[in-house]
């Protein structure tokens, strides 16, 4: 990718101002997401409940704390994790079209979940087993995502052309999807129905235990990301430059792959395969902040990913209709135009060295 040198773009007043605006917009849409739903709750009552006051209707408190706030938290976590994992993939493969879903990482995670779900014959086994079931489901997704990434990493050693690696990643994803389809074909009807609903994407169906496990696993993934920020700046400028900076490229790639597997695998395990957030958001972050510095791009992608997922969740609820659309379809409809626009009108970002 033809980006400017990361060190040329540091944290200045403009960057601070953009982060401030982005934070306020994110807070606004977070509140809007909490206020949205089939049951109308006045804004002043929501603020009162959040500040600890007794609501006029006790049911409102249950709706907020048991459904809407957890769903908003999950939307923020999902958008942030997918956007960061997408940025990591684009940096490692030096390809603006790389992302967890394009490279087959999401499909690998889906295969891990499918094995657990259909293998145990009940999609809600993780609910019955509490923390053990949740960790089992999420670790299965990590392993599935990690296997696909390992295959891609092995291929990338033998094949230098990054477009070929991208195509091979798509093929790996198709192969794992084919295995999942075969498992669905031979599964029981009740399990199949639950799995199909999961595959459409859902932000509001997680238990408190699952949210805690999800948050803990994402924390691990983000810690790996923080540890590799300097490495990503160097990798983006080429393997030879990274080596001259004293960076072990193989170790750096392994850490980044671990982070990506954990972040994208965790979200896929509980929310389903959410597409295009990981590809589209890093481009928005680069365009808005005009930088290639990952010390800025990572928090920018994190916040923009959370924001875009909140917007997707709001749209999926079709305000006033009482109908909830599959959030996976909404993220695709939001993300695809951004990617097409990047390809057609911003050739600097899609140029491959």
């Amino acid at each position: 990718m033809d980006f400017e040198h990361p060190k040329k773009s540091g944290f200045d007043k403009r960057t601070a101002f953009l982060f401030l605006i982005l934070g306020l917009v994110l807070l606004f849409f977070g509140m809007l997401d909490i206020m949205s739903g089939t049951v109308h709750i006045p804004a002043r009552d929501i603020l009162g409940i959040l500040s600890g006051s007794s609501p006029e209707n006790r049911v409102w408190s249950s709706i907020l704390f048991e459904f809407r706030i957890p769903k908003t938290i999950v939307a923020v976590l999902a958008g942030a994790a997918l956007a960061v994992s997408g940025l990591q993939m684009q940096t490692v493969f030096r390809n603006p079209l790389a992302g967890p879903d394009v490279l087959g990482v999401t499909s690998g995670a889906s295969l891990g979940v499918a094995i657990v779900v259909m293998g145990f014959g009940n999609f809600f086994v993780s609910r019955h087993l509490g923390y053990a079931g949740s960790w089992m489901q999420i670790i299965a997704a990590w392993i599935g995502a990690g296997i696909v990434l390992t295959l891609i990493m092995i291929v990338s050693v033998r094949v230098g052309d990054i477009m070929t690696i991208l195509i091979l990643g798509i093929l790996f994803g198709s192969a794992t999807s084919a295995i999942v389809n075969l498992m669905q074909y031979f599964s029981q009807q009740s399990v199949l129905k639950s799995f199909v609903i999961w595959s459409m994407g859902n932000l509001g169906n997680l238990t408190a235990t699952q949210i805690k496990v999800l948050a803990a696993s994402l924390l691990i993934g983000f810690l790996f990301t923080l540890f590799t920020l300097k490495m990503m700046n160097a990798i983006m400028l080429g393997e030879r430059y990274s080596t001259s900076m004293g960076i072990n490229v193989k170790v750096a790639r392994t850490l980044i792959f671990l982070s990506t597997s954990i972040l994208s695998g965790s979200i896929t395990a509980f929310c389903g395969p959410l597409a295009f957030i990981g590809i589209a958001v890093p481009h928005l972050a680069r365009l808005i902040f005009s930088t290639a510095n990952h010390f800025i791009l990572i928090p920018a992608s994190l916040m923009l990913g959370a924001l875009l997922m909140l917007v997707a969740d709001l749209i999926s609820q079709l305000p006033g209709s009482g109908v909830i659309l599959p959030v996976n379809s909404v993220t695709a409809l939001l993300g695809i135009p951004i990617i097409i626009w990047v390809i057609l009108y911003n050739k600097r970002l899609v140029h491959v060295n």
Side-chain angles (χ1 to χ4, degrees), residues 282-325:
H283 294 298
L284 292 177
R286 293 190 192 97
L287 292 172
I288 292 174
F289 286 84
S290 301
T291 183
N293 187 349
H294 285 74
F295 284 89
I296 296 174
L297 281 180
I298 287 292
S301 297
L302 188 148
M303 296 175 73
L304 283 168
L307 177 60
L308 195 61
M309 190 59 79
L310 285 175
V311 173
D313 187 42
L314 283 167
I315 294 173
S316 72
Q317 297 178 54
L318 286 179
S321 68
V323 176
I324 298 178
L325 300 175

Side-chain angles (χ1 to χ4, degrees), residues 197-240:
I197 293 174
W198 166 86
S199 66
M200 292 179 179
N202 194 330
L203 302 172
N205 198 31
L206 276 69
T207 64
T209 300
Q210 288 175 326
I211 293 176
K212 290 176 184 176
V213 171
L214 178 64
S217 62
L218 293 184
L219 178 61
I220 297 171
F222 284 131
L223 288 177
F224 274 115
T225 302
L226 289 176
F227 189 69
T228 58
L229 285 176
K230 184 179 178 181
M231 297 176 183
M232 283 192 282
N233 274 347
I235 287 175
M236 194 180 61
L237 296 174
E239 188 170 335
R240 184 176 299 176

Side-chain angles (χ1 to χ4, degrees), residues 4 54 61 68 113-114 122 127 149 152 253 295 305 331 337:
E4 62 179 307
S54 298
S61 181
R68 292 190 187 178
V113 174
N122 189 340
R127 293 172 177 268
L149 268 177
I152 295 171
R253 283 178 176 167
F295 284 89
T331 57

Side-chain angles (χ1 to χ4, degrees), residues 21-37 46-47 50 64 67-77 303 305-314 317:
I21 296 298
L22 188 55
L24 292 174
V25 174
L26 184 59
L27 183 63
F28 171 77
F29 275 92
M31 285 301 300
L32 200 61
D33 195 51
I34 291 174
M35 293 169 62
S36 300
I46 290 178
L47 294 174
L50 293 177
L64 285 182
F67 181 72
R68 292 190 187 178
I69 292 177
K71 183 166 63 71
T72 299
I73 292 173
V74 171
V76 169
L77 293 176
M303 296 175 73
L307 177 60
L308 195 61
M309 190 59 79
L310 285 175
V311 173
D313 187 42
L314 283 167
Q317 297 178 54

Side-chain angles (χ1 to χ4, degrees), residues 57-91:
N57 187 336
R58 291 183 180 275
V59 177
W60 291 349
S61 181
S62 299
I63 291 174
L64 285 182
F65 289 109
E66 294 177 13
F67 181 72
R68 292 190 187 178
I69 292 177
K71 183 166 63 71
T72 299
I73 292 173
V74 171
V76 169
L77 293 176
L82 292 175
V84 169
S85 61
L87 176 61
Q88 289 174 318
M89 288 295 91
Q90 291 175 11
T91 300

Side-chain angles (χ1 to χ4, degrees), residues 96-108:
L97 298 181
D101 43 335
V102 174
L103 289 172
V105 180
T106 303
S107 297

